[in-house]
Amino acid sequence: MTDTLDFHWMTALLKATSVGVLLFDENNRICWANARMSDFTGLSAEELKNLDRETAAYHRLETLFDHPERLDLPVTGRYAVSCLECRYETLTSPMGDSVYAAFYLDKTEQRMLEARVERLSLSDDLTGTLNQRGLLRDLEILVSRSRRYENHLSVMMLEFTMPLGEQTSHYILAASRCLREQLRWADIIGRFADNSFLIVLPETDIEAAECLAQKIFAQLEKMPLTEGMESRPAAYGGVSQWQRGNDMNMLLERVGFALATARHDQEKRVVAA
């Protein structure tokens, strides 16, 4: 039977495959689509047929016509697909006619798993906030933006002086929750070291950062001690603002210096530098 597959059988096979298929004519216009591509895009085969870049833009599908190696789709299709791996071939018939074929394989689940692994690699096991690696990644992005647009950007580093142990872990976890309650959705918090947190404050100047630090320390004072702790750990903070010419390391050095000054002084819980 396979030796006698005709056009109708081949069309049925292309419609049944789990791979999305589009055929483009010489004008880079879609001339045929299979059912799976309809599932992926949310458009029927008839709607996809004769689609060009200008018309596709109304459906946010104009990137189809760039023929990328990976395609990120708006989540509108039947299977909520967002990531497709793309392959292309120029097919020539025995009569010499040619058509440009595009094949799309759903990689959404793989992308989600990769994103989950990345989040785990950037998260602190205890608090669920970012770890140092995640913090540095996000901070570098924001510093680059400030260098380009001169946006306000401040950082705050908080440190608790306490020995490592089970009670410490309980307190650090409780402190992380207390800190997050004081922050905006755009602020970034992470565990920078065992007993310290770094808070990144986009669109925030040094005065606003100092006010926030004082508010945070007031809330920390109200936080109940965790079981097994006899006294409240000493806490110190440093704040610093991005300045023209600063890179990420210079900003971290300044906030580290501010924290060290606060730790040495012990009378001023928050120091700005």
Side-chain angles (χ1 to χ4, degrees), residues 54-88:
E54 184 177 352
T55 310
Y58 291 104
H59 305 284
R60 295 187 294 164
L61 295 173
E62 63 272 21
T63 51
L64 283 170
F65 299 86
D66 296 329
H67 308 297
E69 294 183 0
R70 188 186 71 192
L71 183 64
D72 294 316
L73 291 177
V75 183
T76 56
R78 178 180 174 187
Y79 292 105
V81 171
S82 61
C83 179
L84 299 175
E85 182 179 271
C86 315
R87 293 184 60 189
Y88 306 95

Side-chain angles (χ1 to χ4, degrees), residues 32 44 47 54 76 82 95 118 122 125 132 134 137-138 143 154 160 163-164 171 181 187 192 216 228-229 233 243:
W32 188 87
S44 69
E47 288 174 315
E54 184 177 352
T76 56
S82 61
M95 304 298 294
E118 182 181 12
L122 299 175
D125 293 338
Q132 187 177 114
R137 182 201 63 174
D138 287 2
V143 168
S154 294
F160 301 94
L164 294 177
Y171 187 84
E181 289 174 356
D187 299 333
F192 196 73
I216 284 174
M229 297 188 68
Q243 298 175 1

Side-chain angles (χ1 to χ4, degrees), residues 143 146-147 150-151 153 206 240-247 250-251 254 273:
V143 168
S146 291
R147 295 179 74 173
E150 297 194 1
N151 306 65
L153 174 65
I206 191 70
S240 190
Q241 180 178 340
W242 176 85
Q243 298 175 1
R244 185 179 298 178
N246 282 175
D247 59 16
M250 295 170 68
L251 181 58
R254 291 213 331 274

Side-chain angles (χ1 to χ4, degrees), residues 51-257:
L51 202 67
D52 58 17
R53 172 184 284 277
E54 184 177 352
T55 310
Y58 291 104
H59 305 284
R60 295 187 294 164
L61 295 173
E62 63 272 21
T63 51
L64 283 170
F65 299 86
D66 296 329
H67 308 297
E69 294 183 0
R70 188 186 71 192
L71 183 64
D72 294 316
L73 291 177
V75 183
T76 56
R78 178 180 174 187
Y79 292 105
V81 171
S82 61
C83 179
L84 299 175
E85 182 179 271
C86 315
R87 293 184 60 189
Y88 306 95
E89 295 285 345
T90 299
L91 307 179
T92 304
S93 73
M95 304 298 294
D97 300 324
S98 63
V99 68
Y100 191 69
F103 305 92
Y104 304 91
L105 183 62
D106 182 10
K107 291 289 185 177
T108 305
E109 186 174 352
Q110 179 179 328
R111 171 75 71 83
M112 292 173 64
L113 290 173
E114 290 172 352
R116 183 179 180 186
V117 170
E118 182 181 12
R119 284 196 301 270
L120 291 173
S121 71
L122 299 175
S123 300
D124 175 59
D125 293 338
L126 175 63
T127 64
T129 63
L130 291 174
N131 57 21
Q132 187 177 114
R133 179 186 172 198
L135 282 166
L136 296 181
R137 182 201 63 174
D138 287 2
L139 179 58
E140 186 169 20
I141 293 171
L142 289 172
V143 168
S144 296
R145 191 181 70 171
S146 291
R147 295 179 74 173
R148 182 175 182 181
Y149 301 109
E150 297 194 1
N151 306 65
H152 286 308
L153 174 65
S154 294
V155 293
M156 180 190 316
M157 190 172 287
L158 304 176
E159 181 182 82
F160 301 94
T161 57
M162 53 197 305
L164 294 177
E166 183 177 352
Q167 288 76 24
T168 300
S169 296
H170 293 324
Y171 187 84
I172 291 295
L173 177 58
S176 71
R177 292 169 177 164
C178 177
L179 294 173
R180 280 184 284 191
E181 289 174 356
Q182 310 306 314
L183 301 179
R184 305 165 301 179
W185 67 268
D187 299 333
I188 298 169
I189 180 174
R191 194 177 178 194
F192 196 73
D194 289 333
N195 290 355
S196 67
F197 290 92
L198 182 70
I199 299 173
V200 183
L201 305 167
E203 307 295 341
T204 305
D205 60 23
I206 191 70
E207 290 80 11
E210 286 188 88
C211 289
L212 176 61
Q214 296 296 345
K215 180 182 176 182
I216 284 174
F217 274 92
Q219 293 301 315
L220 289 172
E221 287 293 328
K222 298 177 183 178
M223 193 177 75
L225 294 177
T226 55
E227 185 178 353
M229 297 188 68
E230 298 179 356
S231 60
R232 190 176 303 280
Y236 307 100
V239 294
S240 190
Q241 180 178 340
W242 176 85
Q243 298 175 1
R244 185 179 298 178
N246 282 175
D247 59 16
M248 180 183 69
N249 291 328
M250 295 170 68
L251 181 58
L252 288 174
E253 285 177 6
R254 291 213 331 274
V255 75
F257 174 78

